[in-house]
Amino acid sequence: MIEIKKLTKQADNKLILRSIDLSIERGETVAILGPNGAGKSTLLKVLSTIIKPSSGFIKINGLDLKKDYTEIKKMFGYLPHSSLLYDHYSPYENLVFFGKVYGVENPEQRAIELVKEVGLSFFLNEPVKNFSRGMIQRIAIARAIVHYPEILYLDEPHTGLDQGAISILNNVILSMKAKGTTTLMVTHDFKQAAEICDRIIIIKNGKIVDDFRLEERTLNLVTEKYQLQVEGVS
Amino acid sequence: MIEIKKLTKQADNKLILRSIDLSIERGETVAILGPNGAGKSTLLKVLSTIIKPSSGFIKINGLDLKKDYTEIKKMFGYLPHSSLLYDHYSPYENLVFFGKVYGVENPEQRAIELVKEVGLSFFLNEPVKNFSRGMIQRIAIARAIVHYPEILYLDEPHTGLDQGAISILNNVILSMKAKGTTTLMVTHDFKQAAEICDRIIIIKNGKIVDDFRLEERTLNLVTEKYQLQVEGVS
Amino acid sequence: MTFFKTAFLLAKKDLYSELKTKQVLATMIIFAGLVILVFSFAFDPTNNTTKAVIPGVVWVIIVFSGVLGLNRSFISEQRNDTMQGLLVAPMEAASIYLGKFLANFTMILIVEIVAIPFLFLLFNFQMIGSIPYFILILFIGSFGFISIGTFLAALAANSKSSEMLLPLLLFPITTPILIGVVQATRITLTNMGKLSSALAWAQLISAYDVIFFVLCILLIDYVLEV
Amino acid sequence: MTFFKTAFLLAKKDLYSELKTKQVLATMIIFAGLVILVFSFAFDPTNNTTKAVIPGVVWVIIVFSGVLGLNRSFISEQRNDTMQGLLVAPMEAASIYLGKFLANFTMILIVEIVAIPFLFLLFNFQMIGSIPYFILILFIGSFGFISIGTFLAALAANSKSSEMLLPLLLFPITTPILIGVVQATRITLTNMGKLSSALAWAQLISAYDVIFFVLCILLIDYVLEV
Amino acid sequence: MSMNLEREKASFHVTELADEKSTLLPKILYWCSVVSILAAFYFIFIYSDIEKTMGIVQKIFYFHVGSAWSAFLAYFVTFVYSILYLVKRKRIYDTYAYVSAEIGLVFTTIVLTTGPIWARSAWNVWWVWEPRLTTTLILWFIYMGYIMIRQMDGVWEKKARLSAVFGIIGFTDVPIVFFAIRWWQTKFHPIVFGNGVTQKGGGIEGNMLVALFVSLAALTFLYSYLLQKGVSFENMKIKVNQYKEKLREDLEQ
Ligand code: HEM
Ligand SMILES: Nc1ncnc2c1ncn2[C@@H]1O[C@H](COP(=O)(O)OP(=O)(O)OP(=O)(O)O)[C@@H](O)[C@H]1O
Ligand SMILES: Nc1ncnc2c1ncn2[C@@H]1O[C@H](COP(=O)(O)OP(=O)(O)OP(=O)(O)O)[C@@H](O)[C@H]1O
Ligand SMILES: [Mg+2]
Ligand SMILES: [Mg+2]
């Protein structure tokens, strides 16, 4: 599904990603771990066409990211640190707008459905600007999946969510996985990573230093491997 | 140390905080838990004079928040969701500036010391705008404690931090506690709450629904009590 | 097809949000009023010679309140990085440009419809030219100004202090349009005898408009690329 | 004591960041140049009567590039909510105001020093008045404009579209100053015979300045309170 | 303690910059400009006649027109390299565009100072507002804007891309400046080339024309020399930065 070859990203003279090679199968749920400033968010930004790689080659579903980006953009949903929501619009209006942008059929119904799914039905028509951090994050998640994406890029999706919302989110990811969605999730929360992911990638200093499958969903394995790689942790 | 009486906050017609009564002793480390939109951040904002309460009475260290706010402002350090840092300034410049604002002695040395403490010495002189989320959060923490505050208000301080930074933060909080600092920490991360706090407050719908001491630092107790109170989440 | 649909969708979003808050439009109109007021101090409106200044004032109003609106147009996409939201979505940069252009153009037309009659009234201006031609000139002038303006607003939005950068880039680039359009306006308003010269100006401006519009559509890809 | 120290600290921070990026000041100066350009279209500068407009133009330059700088002054505190950082710190609102005022005032003085000689050169203006008096008038005029402007910028910064709101609030409030100052400038530049009248204006403006400055210092608490 | 302490030694590659092997070119350009400037001085001050009505001030003419043409050339080069950059995305093109625009700005500034000096003696004013002068001033503003875009913060790719776009858009003013006196009827500014002879001040003596061409050539050489110099200077700066970063990375581990 995702094929990354020798990807590097340089900002001015600083190397942020150093020759990343990665290949992810359809339907995998991959957690990307790593210390602060490792380049995790940057990797997601490159994949979601938000920034251009300095060199390297990315293929998504057989399409070249450089050329067929319009096709590719339809396929993925992206949840970055910021919410990408219009402040003075309500969740409903936001979701309907993005639904239409992505050409979703019946965007109105989809919007209502999603808002309900993330548990904010009561706030359907209130402007987003007054929402609390967790509420915004919930709507941002809904926005990212409004068009039934085949690929999900999630950058620390659990930030600000309460326990209820975390399990909602995990359920969403798992049910989308059941439908064949590929998920890349950056996180610092090993517990969640162990819970929903079946593959862990550890990035350090812009390089992939570990990459292993998680058959048993054990938190300990993750912590152990992470410690091993990032030992002497900051 | 902190004495809150019948505190309510109303935004337009929406009651966000409903008659909160709370009293916190010097040296306590209190975790504030609660579902999204419960009013936790609002409570911290009121305490840190960022917003005014609609009614109620707050005394900090015997001083009235309404009148002696200049005195009170010197006492607390506040870490909100946003970093409060100047983007184009380096960590050093930021911390020196805030150090001077708070009248810290020898702000230059303090800045270097703090940046080292949060593990970003190598980025001492780079503009903050290029930092990753976790790196910004680290500097934001340093900013909040630049003036050796007696009281700390932390709003989800662990967001975006990697494992190393989390333990740094916890150590900072614990060592400040040893010096008698009172800490109020909003968080969704029960593990951290259980680890460093000795009292847990659960807020739901703008009201304190539970308030208990944590003698044994057990995660299970926290989760249990939380489940009990917040079942059928927000 | 989807190209235009997306553009309309974006324009609709902006205009709808304007309809809800009414902030930008209101400010533009009030600002236009202020400019008129300032000018009425600067030149005594009863003085007959200052009548000659009217065409200039018309365009000063459009330019200054236009800049306000143009600034907003991309700055408003910065909060919560919604611009990224658009860039990540499957739409071409050109259709973002077109959408923004349509929204801005609609707004400036509304401002003109409100402010210009007001100006004429305050300055007691007796129209002796041709209104349809005047409207034509207004239209092509605004078109050029807003199309270049939208483009440069997108460019300036990359800067931290974009609301300062925009006028800096916009004024020099659009002066040819503005010079031409002021001349043409003067003729259509006061001196219909020279109509042919006004039409020559109009043609020149239209050519400039078309060239720049195409250029903008072609180059916007590079501006919005990240 | 700490009051002024904090104010200087804030002013230093702003000016230092300006020294690093040089963006705001450069933009203000270039913008001043552009305003001169725009005016040269509006009035034919070869025409001798338009010489009378020079005092007005001087102030239009100051006002417009001033608004740009004023806008920045508080908008720049919005990114990462640094304004909250200041409000949470143990400083009085008045000292934030004073700090911002000092920074803005310094910048506008620099703009004036650069732009006004240029204006005189470009418009071929022969100075026949008194330079010291002219500078005095400039000083008290700018003082009033910037002190009110800083205050209103703080007020406008609460709005989402503050860069639009500021001119809307600022122009009406400062018109008394501007009218007076244009008159006084005219006299000091071209007609020293009426110097006494200019001085009367200057006194009036100074009084207005002082009243508003005190008022601003008193009221800023309410503006910055959250 | 800090994870940031542990930077690993990266296979750092200093990007290939323009090959420096053509060390001959700057020398040639240098000598060409020196010789041609000396020649220009000879032709201007000794060979050509002193203009009858304006006298010695008229000598400014050669620098004036020469700088104007060099500025146009510089902006054209910026225009071309901007397009090249957008297509090929090589840093060297961007450097050329940038340096050329800067030199162009300097030449425009020279035009804008010699012009008024001349105007002072010819028209007895420093400045008049007529199309040629105004459009030249606008040209200056446009490329000031260009420089302002370069002052933006962000990575160089962004600045290069945006300023390339602006370099393309902004170039449209150059033909307008050139044709300004030919489209609008002007009272002041003379035309030499084209249909200038009929206009006031137009037409030109043979030996003046020679001197003009020599000075044009001299300034063009000067421009190419400056461009070459500026580009290699920029490249040096880039390289130094790269080495600095490399050093830092080495230190960090
Ligand atoms: C005051 C500011 C002035 C500016 C900004 C200015 C600008 C320019 C520019 C940009 C050109 C080159 C364009 C071209 O060759 O078509 C030019 C050419 C020229 N300028 Fe000026 N000029 C100024 C003043 C003067 C004055 C005072 C005179 C003489 C009375 C003068 C005489 C000429 C002549 C003879 C040419 C060559 C015309 C031609 O190439 O057809 N200029 N000027
Ligand atoms: N434009 C830029 N210029 C210079 N350095 C940059 C730029 N953008 C990012 N960086 C650097 O790249 C590194 C990686 O950033 P990134 O945001 O990808 O980290 P991350 O792995 O997501 O970290 P976190 O866990 O804190 O979110 C950081 O050290 C950051 O300072
Ligand atoms: N200005 C306002 N107008 C209307 N409602 C508001 C306003 N500010 C906050 N609210 C509401 O108050 C409630 C509490 O917000 P607050 O930010 O305190 O939540 P929180 O407990 O911090 O939640 P989270 O865990 O998601 O951060 C939310 O429902 C929010 O919508
Ligand atoms: Mg990140
Ligand atoms: Mg909160």
Side-chain angles (χ1 to χ4, degrees):
Chain A
M1 194 71 179
I2 302 175
E3 203 74 48
I4 302 175
K5 287 234 177 69
K6 287 205 180 310
L7 174 71
T8 63
K9 171 68 196 174
Q10 201 168 1
D12 286 326
N13 294 313
K14 193 162 188 281
L15 271 171
I16 304 179
L17 297 178
R18 307 161 191 241
S19 184
I20 297 233
D21 285 296
L22 183 62
S23 130
I24 290 168
E25 299 296 311
R26 178 182 299 272
E28 274 186 313
T29 308
V30 182
I32 302 177
L33 308 181
N36 290 146
K40 306 178 296 298
S41 301
T42 310
L43 178 60
L44 284 202
K45 278 184 197 156
V46 170
L47 283 173
S48 59
T49 72
I50 284 287
I51 60 177
K52 285 210 163 166
S54 304
S55 71
F57 192 76
I58 300 175
K59 261 199 168 164
I60 304 216
N61 213 357
L63 299 167
D64 185 355
L65 190 76
K66 249 188 214 140
K67 281 184 231 131
D68 311 308
Y69 48 83
T70 338
E71 273 308 297
I72 290 176
K73 279 175 178 175
K74 278 184 202 150
M75 292 194 300
F76 67 79
Y78 175 48
L79 175 74
H81 292 323
S82 28
S83 67
L84 311 190
L85 298 174
Y86 291 98
D87 253 4
H88 49 285
Y89 276 167
S90 66
Y92 176 75
E93 287 161 336
N94 265 300
L95 293 177
V96 168
F97 172 70
F98 281 103
K100 282 187 182 162
V101 162
Y102 279 98
V104 172
E105 271 173 53
N106 216 339
E108 289 82 7
Q109 198 190 317
R110 175 76 177 150
I112 294 173
E113 193 184 301
L114 276 171
V115 173
K116 202 167 158 197
E117 199 167 337
V118 297
L120 288 177
S121 300
F122 274 120
F123 296 87
L124 186 65
N125 289 313
E126 283 196 36
V128 170
K129 64 166 174 277
N130 290 335
F131 281 17
S132 80
R133 183 186 215 165
M135 288 155 76
I136 289 175
Q137 183 73 0
R138 289 171 185 219
I139 304 294
I141 292 168
R143 195 207 66 85
I145 57 173
V146 70
H147 57 298
Y148 311 95
E150 288 175 57
I151 307 176
L152 263 181
Y153 302 133
L154 306 175
D155 201 345
E156 306 185 29
H158 298 97
T159 13
L161 296 183
D162 62 17
Q163 303 301 310
I166 286 179
S167 61
I168 292 178
L169 172 62
N170 289 353
N171 284 338
V172 165
I173 296 175
L174 289 175
S175 75
M176 288 187 70
K177 178 192 168 81
K179 287 183 207 139
T181 306
T182 316
T183 305
L184 252 81
M185 179 171 86
V186 169
T187 187
H188 290 295
D189 193 336
F190 295 171
K191 187 162 155 263
Q192 310 305 333
E195 214 159 275
I196 46 174
C197 298
D198 33 38
R199 184 173 163 194
I200 306 274
I201 289 169
I202 298 179
I203 293 189
K204 192 183 149 190
N205 265 333
K207 269 182 300 199
I208 295 184
V209 290
D210 206 348
D211 179 352
F212 56 95
R213 317 207 122 261
L214 208 64
E215 306 296 348
E216 320 249 294
R217 312 210 170 280
T218 41
L219 178 54
N220 286 346
L221 179 63
V222 179
T223 323
E224 213 169 86
K225 290 246 190 186
Y226 183 88
Q227 299 288 11
L228 188 72
Q229 289 300 341
V230 196
E231 95 304 18
V233 185
S234 57
Chain B
M1 193 72 178
I2 302 174
E3 204 73 48
I4 303 175
K5 286 234 178 66
K6 287 205 180 309
L7 174 71
T8 62
K9 171 69 196 175
Q10 201 166 1
D12 289 329
N13 293 315
K14 194 163 186 277
L15 268 172
I16 305 178
L17 297 177
R18 309 164 189 240
S19 182
I20 297 233
D21 285 297
L22 183 63
S23 130
I24 290 168
E25 299 297 309
R26 177 181 300 273
E28 272 188 314
T29 309
V30 182
I32 303 177
L33 309 181
N36 291 145
K40 305 179 296 297
S41 301
T42 309
L43 178 60
L44 284 202
K45 278 183 198 155
V46 171
L47 283 173
S48 60
T49 70
I50 284 288
I51 59 177
K52 286 213 164 166
S54 305
S55 72
F57 191 76
I58 300 175
K59 261 199 168 165
I60 304 216
N61 211 359
L63 299 167
D64 185 353
L65 190 74
K66 248 185 216 143
K67 282 185 232 132
D68 310 309
Y69 49 82
T70 338
E71 272 310 296
I72 290 176
K73 279 175 177 175
K74 277 185 203 153
M75 291 196 299
F76 67 79
Y78 175 46
L79 176 75
H81 292 323
S82 28
S83 66
L84 311 190
L85 299 173
Y86 291 97
D87 252 5
H88 49 285
Y89 276 168
S90 66
Y92 177 75
E93 287 161 336
N94 267 299
L95 292 178
V96 168
F97 172 71
F98 281 103
K100 282 186 183 161
V101 162
Y102 279 98
V104 172
E105 269 173 54
N106 216 339
E108 290 82 8
Q109 197 189 319
R110 174 76 177 150
I112 294 174
E113 192 184 300
L114 275 172
V115 172
K116 199 166 162 197
E117 197 165 340
V118 298
L120 289 177
S121 299
F122 271 111
F123 295 85
L124 185 65
N125 289 314
E126 284 197 33
V128 170
K129 63 167 178 275
N130 290 335
F131 282 15
S132 79
R133 184 187 215 166
M135 287 154 75
I136 290 174
Q137 183 74 0
R138 289 172 184 218
I139 304 294
I141 292 168
R143 193 206 66 83
I145 59 173
V146 71
H147 56 298
Y148 311 96
E150 287 175 58
I151 308 176
L152 265 181
Y153 302 132
L154 306 174
D155 201 345
E156 304 186 31
H158 297 96
T159 13
L161 296 182
D162 63 16
Q163 302 302 312
I166 286 179
S167 61
I168 291 178
L169 173 61
N170 289 355
N171 284 338
V172 165
I173 295 175
L174 289 176
S175 74
M176 288 186 70
K177 178 191 168 82
K179 286 182 209 137
T181 307
T182 316
T183 307
L184 253 80
M185 180 172 85
V186 168
T187 187
H188 291 294
D189 194 337
F190 295 173
K191 187 161 155 264
Q192 309 306 333
E195 215 159 274
I196 46 175
C197 297
D198 33 38
R199 182 172 163 194
I200 307 275
I201 290 169
I202 299 179
I203 293 189
K204 193 182 150 188
N205 266 332
K207 270 180 299 201
I208 295 184
V209 291
D210 206 348
D211 179 351
F212 56 95
R213 317 208 123 261
L214 207 63
E215 306 296 349
E216 318 249 295
R217 312 210 170 282
T218 42
L219 178 53
N220 285 347
L221 178 63
V222 179
T223 323
E224 213 168 86
K225 291 245 190 188
Y226 183 87
Q227 298 289 10
L228 188 72
Q229 290 299 342
V230 197
E231 85 317 10
V233 189
S234 72
Chain C
M1 235 316 279
T2 42
F3 177 81
F4 288 104
K5 231 174 76 186
T6 318
F8 281 121
L9 198 62
L10 282 172
K12 218 179 80 187
K13 170 194 69 92
D14 276 6
L15 291 174
Y16 177 60
S17 110
E18 186 47 38
L19 205 71
K20 277 178 92 169
T21 61
K22 293 185 196 66
Q23 277 211 318
V24 181
L25 207 54
T27 319
M28 282 167 82
I29 290 174
I30 300 179
F31 192 79
L34 277 175
V35 172
I36 297 176
L37 218 68
V38 167
F39 271 91
S40 74
F41 289 138
F43 331 94
D44 186 7
T46 50
N47 187 334
N48 245 321
T49 56
T50 53
K51 290 273 158 66
V53 184
I54 289 268
V57 178
V58 168
W59 285 99
V60 169
I61 292 171
I62 296 176
V63 165
F64 279 89
S65 47
V67 166
L68 285 185
L70 288 169
N71 251 329
R72 263 290 109 200
S73 145
F74 283 86
I75 292 185
S76 68
E77 300 278 354
Q78 278 176 356
R79 191 174 285 252
N80 299 333
D81 290 331
T82 47
M83 195 67 213
Q84 278 187 20
L86 300 183
L87 291 173
V88 161
M91 54 172 84
E92 280 161 75
S95 93
I96 299 180
Y97 170 73
L98 195 65
K100 288 284 174 191
F101 166 76
L102 286 175
N104 289 331
F105 195 51
T106 316
M107 299 229 259
I108 201 79
L109 286 186
I110 296 175
V111 172
E112 285 169 17
I113 289 170
V114 176
I116 291 175
F118 186 63
L119 171 74
F120 286 175
L121 215 75
L122 261 191
F123 276 68
N124 220 340
F125 183 74
Q126 270 92 23
M127 187 82 174
I128 52 170
S130 139
I131 292 187
Y133 277 117
F134 176 58
I135 291 176
L136 176 78
I137 301 288
L138 270 187
F139 191 85
I140 57 176
S142 313
F143 183 94
F145 181 73
I146 295 293
S147 62
I148 300 178
T150 307
F151 181 83
L152 292 176
L155 202 162
N158 286 294
S159 159
K160 221 175 38 170
S161 45
S162 62
E163 87 280 2
M164 308 185 70
L165 189 58
L166 177 62
L168 232 64
L169 304 178
L170 183 57
F171 290 172
I173 300 271
T174 47
T175 25
I177 292 186
L178 294 179
I179 293 177
V181 106
V182 168
Q183 302 291 350
T185 310
R186 173 164 299 133
I187 294 168
T188 51
L189 281 185
T190 55
N191 186 357
M192 282 302 279
K194 284 207 206 151
L195 185 63
S196 64
S197 149
L199 290 182
W201 276 116
Q203 272 170 6
L204 218 70
I205 302 162
S206 308
Y208 204 87
D209 280 7
V210 171
I211 292 174
F212 265 91
F213 194 64
V214 173
L215 210 62
C216 289
I217 293 257
L218 289 179
L219 289 176
I220 193 77
D221 270 331
Y222 300 104
V223 172
L224 290 183
E225 155 191 310
V226 261
Chain D
M1 233 318 278
T2 43
F3 177 81
F4 288 104
K5 230 174 79 186
T6 319
F8 281 121
L9 198 61
L10 282 173
K12 218 180 80 188
K13 170 192 72 89
D14 277 6
L15 291 175
Y16 177 60
S17 111
E18 184 47 36
L19 205 72
K20 275 177 94 169
T21 61
K22 295 188 195 65
Q23 279 213 315
V24 181
L25 206 54
T27 318
M28 281 167 82
I29 290 173
I30 300 179
F31 192 79
L34 281 173
V35 172
I36 297 176
L37 200 76
V38 168
F39 270 89
S40 76
F41 297 140
F43 336 93
D44 184 9
T46 49
N47 188 334
N48 244 319
T49 57
T50 54
K51 289 271 159 66
V53 183
I54 289 269
V57 179
V58 167
W59 285 99
V60 170
I61 291 172
I62 296 176
V63 166
F64 277 86
S65 47
V67 166
L68 284 185
L70 289 169
N71 252 330
R72 260 295 105 198
S73 141
F74 282 87
I75 291 184
S76 69
E77 299 277 355
Q78 278 176 356
R79 189 173 287 252
N80 300 331
D81 290 332
T82 46
M83 196 64 213
Q84 277 187 21
L86 300 183
L87 291 174
V88 162
M91 53 173 83
E92 280 161 75
S95 97
I96 300 181
Y97 169 74
L98 194 65
K100 288 286 175 190
F101 166 77
L102 286 175
N104 290 329
F105 194 53
T106 316
M107 299 229 259
I108 201 78
L109 286 185
I110 296 175
V111 171
E112 284 169 18
I113 289 170
V114 176
I116 291 175
F118 244 102
L119 172 74
F120 287 174
L121 210 76
L122 283 182
F123 275 69
N124 247 312
F125 183 76
Q126 270 92 24
M127 187 82 175
I128 50 170
S130 142
I131 292 187
Y133 277 116
F134 175 57
I135 291 177
L136 176 78
I137 301 288
L138 271 186
F139 191 85
I140 55 175
S142 315
F143 183 94
F145 180 72
I146 295 293
S147 61
I148 299 179
T150 307
F151 180 80
L152 292 176
L155 205 160
N158 288 299
S159 157
K160 219 176 43 173
S161 44
S162 63
E163 86 279 3
M164 308 185 70
L165 189 58
L166 177 61
L168 234 63
L169 303 177
L170 184 55
F171 291 171
I173 304 265
T174 47
T175 21
I177 292 187
L178 294 179
I179 292 177
V181 106
V182 168
Q183 301 294 348
T185 311
R186 171 164 301 131
I187 294 168
T188 51
L189 282 185
T190 56
N191 188 356
M192 282 300 279
K194 285 205 207 154
L195 185 63
S196 64
S197 147
L199 290 182
W201 276 116
Q203 272 168 7
L204 220 68
I205 303 162
S206 308
Y208 202 90
D209 280 8
V210 171
I211 292 171
F212 264 90
F213 193 65
V214 172
L215 213 59
C216 290
I217 293 256
L218 289 179
L219 290 178
I220 193 76
D221 270 331
Y222 302 101
V223 172
L224 291 184
E225 155 188 309
V226 260
Chain E
M1 170 185 195
S2 161
M3 61 92 199
N4 301 296
L5 294 173
E6 338 207 21
R7 288 280 176 193
E8 285 182 30
K9 191 161 204 155
S11 50
F12 194 89
H13 53 96
V14 173
T15 332
E16 293 298 317
L17 293 167
D19 44 320
E20 303 286 309
K21 67 173 186 288
S22 51
T23 42
L24 207 57
L25 186 64
K27 280 215 180 100
I28 295 176
L29 284 176
Y30 177 72
W31 286 111
C32 278
S33 27
V34 167
V35 169
S36 60
I37 286 170
L38 289 178
F41 273 124
Y42 167 76
F43 276 101
I44 291 169
F45 290 108
I46 300 167
Y47 174 78
S48 69
D49 298 339
I50 292 177
E51 220 265 350
K52 295 174 208 90
T53 47
M54 277 177 278
I56 195 78
V57 208
Q58 185 267 346
K59 300 292 183 199
I60 254 183
F61 165 72
Y62 305 104
F63 298 102
H64 179 75
V65 181
S67 317
W69 279 88
S70 303
F72 292 172
L73 177 66
Y75 295 143
F76 182 67
V77 169
T78 300
F79 175 68
V80 171
Y81 275 108
S82 294
I83 295 175
L84 272 177
Y85 174 76
L86 286 184
V87 177
K88 298 260 172 64
R89 305 287 173 132
K90 291 246 175 64
R91 182 152 197 180
I92 187 70
Y93 295 136
D94 172 56
T95 313
Y96 268 106
Y98 179 31
V99 172
S100 188
E102 272 186 330
I103 300 172
L105 197 61
V106 171
F107 278 123
T108 317
T109 313
I110 293 176
V111 177
L112 283 172
T113 36
T114 54
I117 293 172
W118 193 1
R120 183 72 190 150
S121 59
W123 308 329
N124 203 25
V125 283
W126 290 106
W127 185 267
V128 291
W129 293 95
E130 59 88 59
R132 162 57 61 83
L133 276 58
T134 311
T135 47
T136 311
L137 192 59
I138 290 170
L139 194 65
W140 189 82
F141 276 117
I142 287 179
Y143 284 89
M144 269 318 268
Y146 182 91
I147 302 291
M148 287 303 286
I149 292 178
R150 311 240 34 150
Q151 301 294 320
M152 245 187 229
D153 44 25
V155 293
W156 74 266
E157 281 103 336
K158 183 179 100 176
K159 290 186 275 195
R161 181 162 49 80
L162 296 178
S163 49
V165 168
F166 196 71
I168 294 170
I169 294 248
F171 183 70
T172 44
D173 194 47
V174 170
I176 293 177
V177 175
F178 183 81
F179 287 114
I181 37 173
R182 293 163 177 88
W183 287 344
W184 287 284
Q185 301 84 358
T186 165
K187 292 175 262 183
F188 287 100
H189 201 278
I191 309 174
V192 173
F193 303 104
N195 54 355
V197 199
T198 50
Q199 293 241 208
K200 170 197 165 213
I204 190 163
E205 301 259 337
N207 57 20
M208 287 186 185
L209 200 61
V210 174
L212 176 61
F213 278 125
V214 174
S215 50
L216 277 184
L219 280 168
T220 311
F221 275 123
L222 181 64
Y223 161 72
S224 352
Y225 173 67
L226 287 178
L227 179 64
Q228 212 285 330
K229 236 2 212 196
V231 167
S232 61
F233 183 68
E234 276 291 312
N235 279 343
M236 221 117 83
K237 252 185 9 199
I238 293 166
K239 242 189 192 149
V240 165
N241 277 336
Q242 277 172 349
Y243 282 125
K244 249 200 240 160
E245 181 65 22
K246 189 181 171 193
L247 213 69
R248 228 181 60 125
E249 296 226 340
D250 288 352
L251 267 180
E252 276 182 22
Q253 43 163 340

